[in-house]
Amino acid sequence: MATTYNNLYLDLRQRFKRAGVFDPTRAARELICAASGKTHDELIRDGGFYAPPETEKALEELAQRHLDGEPVAYLIGEWEFYGLPLDISRAVLIPRPDTEVLAGRAIEAAQAYDEPRVLDLCAGSGCVGLAVAARVPNARVLLGELDEEAIKICRQNIRRNALTGRVSVLRADAREKPTRQLGEFDIIVCNPPYIPTADIDTLDLSVRAYEPHLALDGGADGLDFYRAIVARWRDALRPCGKLIFEVGIGQADAVLRLMRSGGFGDVQIVKDLNDIPRVVCGTVWDEV
């Protein structure tokens, strides 16, 4: 039976609500846009029009996949972060609102320099480094990422946001000491894998079954990457350079201690909008 785009949206939103889907309003809107090929504005404009059968069929397939646990961002192949449109694939984590706290702190730090050189280590989609480049026009940003498929996504997002002149991407293993050829940075910002290995199987289905475990697994206690980066990447920071980490729930104090023992001073913890310690940042001392 023929139905309008408005009715499709209202019915799908209600269906998602009943199923306990997170943010059913956004999920319904994004999937209808993906199924119809319409932008958000076009969907509003054409809300009273009848949707063709092929759109209804495509929407039902997407809706069922989402109800089965597949995240909307992977279904539509894109997501927004800090106002930037980003290509997303299952090779990278979906950017989350919590990580905007990390990006905001990195942007604030970069704005204190005339021409900051910034490294986004464990870059994933490149979301944090790209946010810094977009908000700090004099910054030059390097996206450091190990996974080749994630590197492809970084390149796509650099082009998509017209930042080719100031952002580049390089294959880098955060657990290994960087080469001298990489040079020095004013800021290293990092959202590393931080889920304890044993906890991965307890994560929500949408995370454990779809998001890349390479970007989740932080070792037995979740701190492997923090230890490696503090120990091996300090010398890649210029004197008074900043190291800025995102951390998982309950990890802030342990990461603070790691940074202090690794020669970082003025170490601070920043809370997210839910009052959860989410970012730990510190400054390189001249002497360890």
Side-chain angles (χ1 to χ4, degrees), residues 4-47:
T4 65
Y5 287 103
N6 279 340
N7 286 338
L8 276 179
Y9 164 72
L10 292 171
D11 290 347
L12 185 57
R13 185 179 67 174
Q14 186 59 34
R15 184 177 169 191
F16 283 165
K17 280 183 178 180
R18 289 196 302 268
V21 166
F22 175 75
D23 199 352
T25 297
R26 183 176 187 181
R29 182 181 66 241
E30 296 290 354
L31 294 186
I32 291 174
C33 286
S36 65
K38 294 181 183 294
T39 65
H40 294 167
D41 288 342
E42 289 169 344
L43 183 62
I44 294 170
R45 181 197 67 194
D46 299 341

Side-chain angles (χ1 to χ4, degrees), residues 199-213 216:
D199 290 353
I200 289 178
D201 286 341
T202 71
L203 297 173
D204 185 83
L205 175 67
S206 64
V207 178
R208 72 174 187 270
Y210 294 96
E211 301 209 47
H213 285 203
L216 295 171

Side-chain angles (χ1 to χ4, degrees), residues 45-75:
R45 181 197 67 194
D46 299 341
F49 294 172
Y50 286 102
E54 55 269 27
T55 294
E56 290 191 58
K57 181 180 178 182
L59 179 61
E60 177 55 32
E61 291 175 355
L62 290 172
Q64 191 55 57
R65 286 169 64 184
H66 187 46
L67 288 168
D68 288 341
E70 190 167 353
V72 171
Y74 293 148
L75 288 168

Side-chain angles (χ1 to χ4, degrees), residues 204-283:
D204 185 83
L205 175 67
S206 64
V207 178
R208 72 174 187 270
Y210 294 96
E211 301 209 47
H213 285 203
L214 180 67
L216 295 171
D217 192 343
D221 62 357
L223 301 176
D224 282 3
F225 280 79
Y226 300 106
R227 292 189 189 92
I229 293 165
V230 167
R232 296 168 187 159
W233 287 79
R234 181 184 181 278
D235 290 343
L237 282 164
R238 292 171 177 152
C240 298
K242 309 283 187 184
L243 176 60
I244 309 173
F245 281 125
E246 178 171 323
V247 298
I249 294 173
Q251 294 177 327
D253 287 342
V255 174
L256 179 146
R257 289 192 293 271
L258 282 172
M259 292 182 71
R260 282 180 174 167
S261 65
F264 289 85
D266 190 26
V267 185
Q268 301 174 19
I269 294 173
V270 181
K271 294 182 178 181
D272 64 21
L273 295 177
N274 295 312
D275 208 35
I276 295 170
R278 184 60 63 186
V279 168
V280 181
C281 51
T283 303

Side-chain angles (χ1 to χ4, degrees), residues 143-171:
L143 307 179
E145 173 55 50
L146 179 62
D147 182 74
E148 291 292 349
E149 290 302 312
I151 287 172
K152 291 178 184 177
I153 294 295
C154 283
R155 292 193 177 112
Q156 290 170 210
N157 285 327
I158 293 169
R159 292 192 296 269
R160 182 169 184 175
N161 288 281
L163 290 167
T164 305
R166 293 190 294 111
V167 183
S168 56
V169 60
L170 180 73
R171 191 172 188 272

